[in-house]
Every structure is written in C-alpha cells, then in structure tokens.
Amino acid sequence: MKFIVRLHAEITIKSRSVRQRHLKVLTGNLRTLMKPLDRSVRVNSRWDRIDIYHAADASVTAKIIQFLQQTPGIAYFEQVSEHPLTEFEQLLEWILASQTQRLSNKTFAVRVKRKGNHEFSSIDMARYIGGGIRARVPGTEVALKNPQEEVVLHVIDDTVSMVELRFAGLGGFPLPTQETVLSLMSGGFDSAVASYQMIRRGARTHFCFFNLGADAHEAAVREIAYFIWEKYSRTHAVKFITVDFSEVVERILEHADQGSMGVMLKRAMMRAAGQVAQLVKAHALVTGEAVGQVASQTLSNLRIIDQATDALILRPLIVSDKQDIVNEARKIGVEHLSAVVPEYCGVISQQPSVRVNPDLILETEQAVLPDSLINEVVAKSNAVDIREVRVNPVAGPTIYQDSIPENAVIIDVRTDDEEELAPLQLEKHKVLHIPFFRIARKQDTLDKNTTYLMYCQQGVMSRLQAIYLKEQGFVHTGVYEQTNSNKD
C-alpha cells in the first residue's frame, strides 16, 4: 500500500533552502507519527512529495489517513496502487481490472503526469488508456471538462501509480517551522479555533489559562487544550500553564470603575501573559478576540489592551464572524467540547464601556493591580507538560476503571450512531444512553443522590459532562473508562 503526500502550495514557492527545511521537518513529523503504527511503514522524502509505504492492513491504513489529515503542511495526499511501466496494453488491462465498475455508464477523463525520460508523452498514454476504456467499458464517454470520474496516473521513471482515493490536507506549514507562541485559552470557540489556526501555520503553541475562580472551568479547558494538541500537534510537546487570577478579579470588583472592568482584566492578563511568554520562550501571544464581538473588543479598547505589554499580540480571528468561528470549531472537532465548557466570568460589568478612557486606566491600574501583584501570580503559576494533563488532572472528575461503585449508573454520552456501532454492555451495572447534547434537557430525570459515571470513546466528552453535572448539583459524578480487563 502506498500514499503520495503533496506539500502545501506556499511551501513549494519558497526558496530551495527553505523548501528543503520544511520538507525535512514534515518528513520527520510523519515518521514520528507513523513509527508506532506498524514495522512495515516507511516514509521516504522526495523533492516534490513524500512517499509512504506499508503492508496492506486496513486498520493501519485508516490510522495513516487520519494522521495525514491532521498534520499541518500537507496540501493533499493520494492512496495509490502501483504497476511497473510496461506496454500500454498491459497497463490498460491492469486499470480495467479495478476501475471497470466505477467507470461504467459514466463520463470520464484520463489524466497522466510524468516525471523522468520516456519515449512517449503524457498525451500519448492518456489517449491510449482513454480509448481503451471507452471501447471496453459499457456506456462510457470521454469528457475532458467536468467528467463524472477521473483516472489519474502518475508515471515516475519506470513505475506507474494509479490514484484510488484523494484526501484534502490541512495546508499550512509543518510544526515547528514558525516561531513559538502562547495561546490564551478560555475553552470557548474563539480561543480554541485561534489556537488551531496558529498550529496549522506551523507555530508550536503553548496554552495559558487564567483561572478566575472556577476549578471546574480549569479542568474543562485542560481537556480542550489536550484535545487540540493531541489531534493536530502531538509531534511536539508543549506546556499548559495555569495562572491563578482570583485575587486579581477580587481587586477589580472592589476598586475598578464599572465601565473599565473588562479592559482592566484583559490588560492584567496581557501583563501576566507577557511574562509567561518569556518563561516558555514564546515570541507572541495569541487570543481569540474579534473586532466588535464584545465591549472590550472595540478597536479603541483593543489598543488600550495592547499597550499593557511589549509582547506581540496575534489575533487570528480579528475579522471573523461568530458563526464562521463556530463553523470552524465544528470542522476541527471542538464545537461539541467548547459548547459544554462550564461558563465562568469573574468580572461582569453592568455598564461596560466600548471606549474606555485610557487616562482613567493609567490613573487607577497601578493602585488596583500593582506590578508586584502581577509578578506574584506569575511566580505562583503552574506549568505542566500537556502530556501530563490526563495523568495529573486538576479538579477534574474521578476516573473509574476496574473498581466501579456498586450502585453506580453508567451514562453513555456518545451519539446515537456511535452507540449503535459499539453498544456498551455491563453485567453488573445499569447503562443509560443519553447523548451529550441531551444531558442538559434530561438532567431533571436524574437522581442527584445517585452516582453517575459518564462514558465515551475518547474520554473527553465524558469528562466535560461529569464536570457539567457536578456544577448542576450532582455530587456523585465521575468518568468510566473501559479497559481490556473490564470489558464484559
């Protein structure tokens, strides 16, 4: 089995040395991802592509496709079958053996791309193969423009590759060909999408969370950050940094002007984040802010916020509509996660100003939030390797595997389709199937004195739902993780 991986177009137009560096980094990333899959997997770098070979195994093939679709720097990739370059008639027989059913009663076109020295042209081969298909496959007609099907052949030296399937990649640049950044994570749609976009552009992205006073919120944000890292940048370890901002919030609520509370909080975050960025050697801060989305995100207020730090602040979503952000969150797989993150706003102003007076900020900020306080909360910040987030969860739900409370009820929060494919059945415990998007509506039917353990395939949504129920007053909640030893 073979895959041909094509570089993102922006890489191919760079200078020779830069292109070689990007190609080398992408090849290394793919080898890191593929190595644990199977001994047969080989990743070979070429100037214009990367070839991946492995022994025919459906599970390995599926995993390779998944990794390639989630790796920055890839424009697209093709699953191909190969045949030695022989006479055209032999190649035609080879193609017909697998493509006759697909092409029957359809318009088609044959596309040939060559590399190497050959006695024939690409058009010569395309005409012969196309004529043979038209003559031997019932109901076919050649249509060079907008055909229903295409037969794509790559002729490289003495080998012919026929494309069986083509998949879109993420585009962007390989990690970490761009400089390191620090993303300010709230767990919502905006910060999650902004983090993804920086990863996609090849920037190693650390995560920074300002805890405004809700431990359950921190546990949920850790899950979101871990999901983004594991799916799109697992080849490179990053940090998850938590900064306790509870005292900052308290001082703002007690002493700040009502109209400037939000801006003062954002400035405090930037002051602290600038220091954290230096600790992790990040070259810029990343936020999910968009112009006009809330009062603190007008151009006037963003300018005041920017002046709080010398650090470069990047806002990938600055002109994005909210629905477009939500759509992107759905596309990258975090919509359902961010949608159920427990909401916690430490500073709620009744009359936020869309144009805060900068003189008022300068007059009061040091009195309310002196540099010594910001330095202190940064010094007490907690930084963990993102890979340890699951090993040492903070304020998260209890995980149950082999030892499950006797009277516990398992709630399977997977979607209907997921549950139907692999039903969860336990001999000694009751299993309820309530998809995650119905939990809020169904919570009134649940007994708050019962122990409920959430279950899902990956363990992310189950954790978030356990956190949500705990916030709703369900004291006895946790997560059930199925292992090989506890399967019935």
Side-chain angles (χ1 to χ4, degrees):
M1 186 69 69
K2 178 181 178 181
F3 290 91
I4 298 176
V5 179
R6 300 294 182 179
L7 304 179
H8 180 50
E10 288 185 62
I11 299 174
T12 63
I13 61 174
K14 293 186 177 297
S15 67
R16 185 177 185 86
S17 60
V18 173
R19 176 171 174 167
Q20 285 178 329
R21 182 170 70 88
H22 280 67
L23 181 60
K24 181 179 180 180
V25 171
L26 179 56
T27 302
N29 290 345
L30 293 179
R31 285 174 177 160
T32 299
L33 290 171
M34 304 300 170
K35 185 177 180 179
L37 294 182
D38 190 80
R39 286 186 175 183
S40 67
V41 180
R42 292 182 291 117
V43 180
N44 296 334
S45 175
R46 309 285 188 237
W47 170 250
D48 61 340
R49 68 190 190 279
I50 298 172
D51 294 336
I52 299 177
Y53 301 88
H54 77 92
D57 183 309
S59 62
V60 175
T61 299
K63 204 67 179 175
I64 290 175
I65 292 172
Q66 176 188 331
F67 283 152
L68 292 177
Q69 288 177 318
Q70 297 171 356
T71 301
I74 296 174
Y76 65 91
F77 59 97
E78 297 166 325
Q79 183 177 334
V80 303
S81 56
E82 290 188 321
H83 192 280
L85 177 58
T86 56
E87 297 295 327
F88 285 175
E89 183 60 27
Q90 289 179 269
L91 292 175
L92 176 60
E93 294 292 341
W94 168 62
I95 293 168
L96 290 174
S98 61
Q99 302 299 309
T100 295
Q101 185 175 353
R102 179 172 74 94
L103 299 174
S104 182
N105 296 309
K106 292 181 181 178
T107 60
F108 74 97
V110 178
R111 316 291 190 192
V112 177
K113 298 179 180 179
R114 291 185 308 110
K115 185 176 182 181
N117 296 318
H118 304 100
E119 297 180 353
F120 58 89
S121 67
S122 299
I123 294 177
D124 292 337
M125 177 179 280
R127 283 175 176 169
Y128 189 96
I129 301 297
I133 292 173
R134 186 172 181 274
R136 302 185 199 183
V137 180
T140 53
E141 288 292 339
V142 174
L144 298 181
K145 292 184 179 180
N146 302 317
Q148 292 174 285
E149 300 288 350
E150 288 188 336
V151 177
V152 179
L153 304 174
H154 299 295
V155 183
I156 301 176
D157 297 325
D158 58 356
T159 302
V160 179
S161 297
M162 178 172 58
V163 176
E164 297 179 350
L165 294 170
R166 177 168 170 162
F167 304 86
L170 289 183
F173 298 128
L175 282 166
T177 54
Q178 308 305 309
E179 291 165 308
T180 301
V181 299
L182 177 70
S183 181
L184 278 57
M185 285 288 292
S186 69
F189 302 116
D190 303 339
S191 60
V193 172
S195 299
Y196 158 77
Q197 291 193 354
M198 294 308 302
I199 291 171
R200 178 183 171 276
R201 292 299 289 180
R204 186 198 297 256
T205 302
H206 297 287
F207 301 98
C208 182
F209 171 69
F210 290 94
N211 192 333
L212 307 183
D215 289 338
H217 187 191
E218 177 182 345
V221 174
R222 282 182 169 226
E223 290 294 333
I224 302 289
Y226 182 85
F227 177 87
I228 294 170
W229 169 79
E230 184 182 45
K231 187 170 183 179
Y232 297 108
S233 63
R234 64 190 298 174
T235 52
H236 293 81
V238 298
K239 299 290 186 183
F240 184 95
I241 303 100
T242 302
V243 183
D244 185 351
F245 246 41
S246 56
E247 185 175 351
V248 172
V249 169
E250 183 179 341
R251 292 199 183 194
I252 290 176
L253 291 173
E254 289 180 354
H255 304 292
D257 171 72
Q258 272 284 331
S260 62
M261 283 183 174
V263 170
M264 186 172 288
L265 177 62
K266 288 290 184 70
R267 280 178 58 90
M269 288 179 176
M270 297 306 165
R271 291 162 64 191
Q275 295 186 34
V276 175
Q278 291 181 339
L279 296 176
V280 297
K281 296 184 168 73
H283 293 260
L285 307 178
V286 178
T287 78
E289 294 163 315
V291 169
Q293 193 176 108
V294 295
S296 65
Q297 295 176 17
T298 61
L299 291 178
S300 297
N301 286 344
L302 288 175
R303 182 180 181 185
I304 296 173
I305 292 168
D306 283 359
Q307 292 170 349
T309 179
D310 292 331
L312 172 65
I313 302 176
L314 303 178
R315 297 181 172 93
L317 312 181
I318 192 66
V319 294
S320 299
D321 293 335
K322 187 65 177 184
Q323 189 56 52
D324 291 336
I325 297 171
V326 174
N327 292 343
E328 184 73 1
R330 182 181 306 120
K331 179 181 175 183
I332 65 176
V334 299
E335 181 202 20
H336 63 300
L337 303 177
S338 294
V340 296
V341 169
E343 290 291 338
Y344 186 84
C345 185
V347 174
I348 301 177
S349 174
Q350 299 300 317
Q351 296 178 320
S353 174
V354 296
R355 186 173 292 181
V356 170
N357 185 340
D359 295 332
L360 178 63
I361 292 287
L362 294 176
E363 290 171 6
T364 61
E365 187 173 59
Q366 281 301 316
V368 178
L369 305 173
D371 289 338
S372 58
L373 174 62
I374 301 300
N375 295 341
E376 182 181 349
V377 297
V378 172
K380 294 180 178 178
S381 63
N382 181 40
V384 298
D385 189 310
I386 193 71
R387 294 170 294 188
E388 299 298 316
V389 163
R390 288 285 184 81
V391 177
N392 299 305
V394 173
T398 303
I399 310 299
Y400 295 89
Q401 293 181 340
D402 297 319
S403 180
I404 305 174
E406 183 177 350
N407 297 320
V409 175
I410 312 299
I411 299 181
D412 186 342
V413 300
R414 295 175 297 169
T415 63
D416 293 333
D417 291 340
E418 289 175 315
E419 192 274 340
E420 186 177 344
L421 285 174
L424 178 64
Q425 298 177 340
L426 300 176
E427 291 182 358
K428 299 179 181 179
H429 292 83
K430 182 179 180 180
V431 177
L432 299 178
H433 176 228
I434 307 177
F436 67 89
F437 51 84
R438 296 187 188 133
I439 287 285
R441 297 201 310 268
K442 294 284 189 178
Q443 63 175 302
D444 292 340
T445 66
L446 303 177
D447 181 3
K448 291 188 176 181
N449 294 318
T450 299
T451 298
Y452 291 108
L453 305 184
M454 307 295 114
Y455 169 76
C456 72
Q457 203 77 26
Q458 294 181 323
V460 177
M461 183 55 69
S462 56
R463 284 171 168 81
L464 295 181
Q465 294 305 322
I467 292 169
Y468 170 77
L469 285 182
K470 188 173 183 180
E471 295 254 313
Q472 305 308 307
F474 290 81
V475 179
H476 308 293
T477 63
V479 170
Y480 170 65
E481 287 188 349
Q482 195 171 37
T483 64
N484 290 329
S485 61
N486 64 22
K487 289 181 180 179
D488 291 341

